[in-house]
Amino acid sequence: MSNKVYIETYGCQMNVADSEVVISILSDKGFQLTQNINDAGLILLNTCSIRENAEQRIWSRLKAIKHLKKKNGEIIIGLIGCMAERLKKRVLETDQLVDIVVGPDAYRELPLLVAEAESGHKAINVLLSREETYADISPVRMDKNGVSSFVSIMRGCNNMCAYCVVPYVRGAERSRDPQSILREVKELFDSGYREVTLLGQNVDSYKWIFNDKVITFSGLLEMVTQVNPLLRVRFSTSHPKDISDDLLKTIAGYDNICKHIHLPAQSGSSRILKLMNREYSREWYMDRIRAIRSIIPDCSLSTDMISGFCTETEEDHQASLSLMEWAGFDFAYMFKYSERPGTKAARKYKDDIPDEIKTKRLNEIISLQNKLSSVSKKHDVGKVFEVLIEGPSKRSQEFLSGRTSQNKVVVFPGEGHKKGEYINVFIERCTSATLIGKIVK
Ligand code: 5AD
Ligand code: SF4
């Protein structure tokens, strides 16, 4: 078998970070990363289970790579990540093509499992762990720009949102040793990175106990900001029930903590939020937004919204729209509810909203968000923002692209500047996705 490994990553940023851990583990055992699937002896799909269509995409992808295996029977195909964890050995029964199945907490076993598959046996490890954080592993960076990177600070999730498969596929919440986080962040800074995004399902509940001292997420953020003032720090995802004034004050207190909070609301109806087991009401969510606006006045806000959760009425849907309008989100990820087997919603409630209604409501949510995103960008025209340059813009080499602290993309004539530099840009106009401006000296 060729020792080249090819990996495709689906789903969230956490999976992107995990793929970098997987490649690090395999590189240590002599595997080489390739960008060309036709060269690979080992093909890995790092999968997502969050919605049914995420899984369907992966089944079709598996079908599409069948011809490679037909041409060369020695190729090993591995399904890893959340879908591997959810379906366990059923994957091997459903698709004869797959040789190995590995859940998110078993990546250290990958070299062994590949060897087992090489000797002709199907191999599987989907054990979840209470401790595994891959703290000692230095991820092999696969990002394109060399400026911004993800750093995983915790794994798993202890919230039991009724719709969500994550606690089942990623196990219980556990935080990573802050020293290992700092080591990774310093290595990134030293190799030219200027932005890290600290990742966890619920970063607000980060907690590390050492010598009877508790390090909270606020404490961790402060430690990471100290690595270097030229390093920007982002984080995701915050939970409305846990985001505290103390954390907001920390965010406000450091120039290099980005002024952007991703705070998924999911719904604007307190009745639906209760059914979703989100542990906050519409009023609580609004109170948290008021706190953000008063403690961090220049903060941008993004959210996740779900349309058509079980029993959602037109009135509940209108409450979602009115919350979005009131909050004036700068950005949103928006989804139709998709029932996931084994979750509380699947066990206890009926998925009773017809697909046409879910779609209609989702479309209304999307068109409202388009309006809000456009208002948010127009608001920036005429102002100056500090931008971290990420590289040439997609359209033209003469233009550079970067982001504001608020996470908005800015494109401007490069004037000889390079990625990784900070410059001030005056915003002249905007398109639907981008701010456009010029450098001010
Ligand atoms: N159906 C639709 N959307 C979902 N999400 C999580 N589970 C589901 C589901 N079953 C959305 C939530 C979450 C985001 C990552 O995905 O909005 O915040
Ligand atoms: Fe990420 Fe959740 Fe999808 Fe897993 S199921 S990849 S945790 S979004």
Side-chain angles (χ1 to χ4, degrees):
M1 178 192 116
S2 136
N3 69 346
K4 297 222 169 98
V5 50
Y6 172 87
I7 188 162
E8 257 170 39
T9 308
Y10 297 82
C12 63
Q13 300 166 338
M14 194 64 95
N15 259 16
V16 175
D18 278 5
S19 286
E20 298 185 332
V21 164
V22 163
I23 294 303
S24 174
I25 291 170
L26 289 169
S27 303
D28 280 353
K29 297 285 180 218
F31 285 87
Q32 257 180 12
L33 181 65
T34 172
Q35 308 296 339
N36 181 355
I37 193 168
N38 297 304
D39 273 356
L42 173 62
I43 298 173
L44 297 176
L45 302 187
N46 192 1
T47 60
C48 174
S49 285
I50 197 99
R51 282 168 292 275
E52 198 186 346
N53 58 11
E55 291 195 356
Q56 273 161 1
R57 263 182 78 201
I58 290 153
W59 289 127
S60 356
R61 185 62 185 137
L62 271 174
K63 266 201 205 112
I65 53 186
K66 216 170 220 153
H67 69 279
L68 293 171
K69 183 115 177 171
K70 275 204 188 125
K71 263 200 306 201
N72 177 357
E74 280 191 3
I75 289 178
I76 290 174
I77 296 180
L79 200 79
I80 67 172
C82 298
M83 196 171 151
E85 188 63 50
R86 193 179 84 75
L87 295 171
K88 304 188 169 59
K89 65 177 191 307
R90 267 179 292 158
V91 173
L92 299 173
E93 290 152 15
T94 316
D95 201 308
Q96 303 298 324
L97 206 66
V98 177
D99 303 291
I100 54 181
V101 176
V102 188
D105 284 347
Y107 295 147
R108 286 181 203 268
E109 295 293 308
L110 257 168
L112 269 178
L113 297 166
V114 174
E116 213 173 305
E118 268 186 295
S119 67
H121 305 287
K122 303 258 172 194
I124 178 163
N125 189 335
V126 288
L127 289 176
L128 287 173
S129 153
R130 289 188 169 274
E131 287 95 32
E132 182 63 274
T133 59
Y134 301 110
D136 55 312
I137 292 174
S138 292
V140 170
R141 301 297 163 188
M142 291 193 286
D143 61 272
K144 300 284 180 313
N145 67 20
V147 175
S148 53
S149 183
F150 298 126
V151 174
S152 158
I153 63 163
M154 54 209 292
R155 298 182 73 80
C157 184
N158 281 356
N159 298 320
M160 279 289 166
C161 300
Y163 50 78
C164 191
V165 76
V166 172
Y168 304 92
V169 294
R170 288 197 162 260
E173 181 183 288
R174 67 223 96 125
S175 296
R176 175 177 172 191
D177 179 345
Q179 290 311 323
S180 79
I181 297 171
L182 287 174
R183 192 205 66 230
E184 188 176 329
V185 172
K186 280 182 190 137
E187 280 171 14
L188 284 166
F189 187 84
D190 291 343
S191 49
Y193 285 82
R194 290 296 174 265
E195 184 177 278
V196 291
T197 303
L198 307 180
L199 289 182
Q201 303 297 344
N202 178 5
V203 291
D204 311 287
S205 62
Y206 177 89
K207 191 170 167 189
W208 184 263
I209 302 169
F210 183 68
N211 282 348
D212 288 340
K213 253 184 64 190
V214 178
I215 297 174
T216 61
F217 182 57
S218 274
L220 178 72
L221 260 184
E222 283 183 320
M223 289 159 78
V224 175
T225 60
Q226 304 305 308
V227 167
N228 198 295
L230 284 178
L231 180 78
R232 271 185 177 178
V233 188
R234 299 188 184 278
F235 53 91
S236 191
T237 298
S238 301
H239 196 301
K241 79 177 162 62
D242 296 319
I243 192 163
S244 64
D245 286 1
D246 177 46
L247 174 62
L248 299 180
K249 284 176 195 153
T250 303
I251 299 167
Y254 292 87
D255 282 344
N256 60 334
I257 302 183
C258 289
K259 305 299 182 267
H260 166 228
I261 297 177
H262 184 59
L263 197 68
Q266 314 295 4
S267 167
S269 152
S270 292
R271 187 184 73 83
I272 292 290
L273 288 168
K274 196 161 186 348
L275 277 183
M276 287 177 162
N277 209 20
R278 289 287 288 173
E279 296 183 42
Y280 57 86
S281 62
R282 175 188 178 95
E283 289 66 36
W284 174 275
Y285 188 88
M286 290 170 79
D287 172 73
R288 292 293 76 209
I289 300 243
R290 282 191 203 99
I292 294 170
R293 299 268 184 245
S294 86
I295 299 172
I296 323 167
D298 57 343
C299 195
S300 67
L301 272 173
S302 55
T303 191
D304 294 346
M305 297 300 288
I306 297 178
S307 81
F309 186 65
C310 315
T311 78
E312 187 187 69
T313 61
E314 181 59 27
E315 197 186 338
D316 295 318
H317 169 59
Q318 290 301 327
S320 289
L321 294 174
S322 72
L323 180 73
M324 291 173 71
E325 184 112 43
W326 178 85
F329 294 116
D330 300 272
F331 184 80
Y333 296 100
M334 298 154 285
F335 313 102
K336 267 198 286 193
Y337 171 60
S338 162
E339 185 178 83
R340 306 313 290 130
T343 56
K344 181 178 173 204
R347 283 183 279 118
K348 301 226 161 130
Y349 316 138
K350 198 162 159 243
D351 182 11
D352 58 351
I353 307 303
D355 194 57
E356 314 86 76
I357 296 187
K358 284 183 186 170
T359 305
K360 174 179 161 286
R361 290 180 186 165
L362 178 64
N363 287 338
E364 287 172 16
I365 288 175
I366 292 172
S367 71
L368 171 59
Q369 186 53 46
N370 286 344
K371 189 184 96 187
L372 298 176
S373 298
S374 153
V375 170
S376 139
K377 281 191 202 72
K378 286 195 183 122
H379 194 70
D380 293 342
V381 173
K383 294 186 186 150
V384 173
F385 290 90
E386 186 180 61
V387 170
L388 171 60
I389 306 176
E390 289 175 5
S393 85
K394 274 187 219 131
R395 296 246 176 92
S396 151
Q397 287 289 318
E398 270 142 52
F399 282 74
L400 292 173
S401 167
R403 267 165 219 270
T404 64
S405 170
Q406 288 75 13
N407 208 27
K408 290 185 195 161
V409 176
V410 184
V411 169
F412 50 94
E415 296 178 24
H417 287 277
K418 295 205 171 52
K419 69 178 185 183
E421 288 176 32
Y422 290 95
I423 34 108
N424 288 322
V425 178
F426 174 78
I427 307 302
E428 295 174 311
R429 60 194 176 90
C430 60
T431 66
S432 61
T434 317
L435 301 174
I436 298 164
K438 64 173 186 223
I439 296 176
V440 288
K441 300 281 181 258

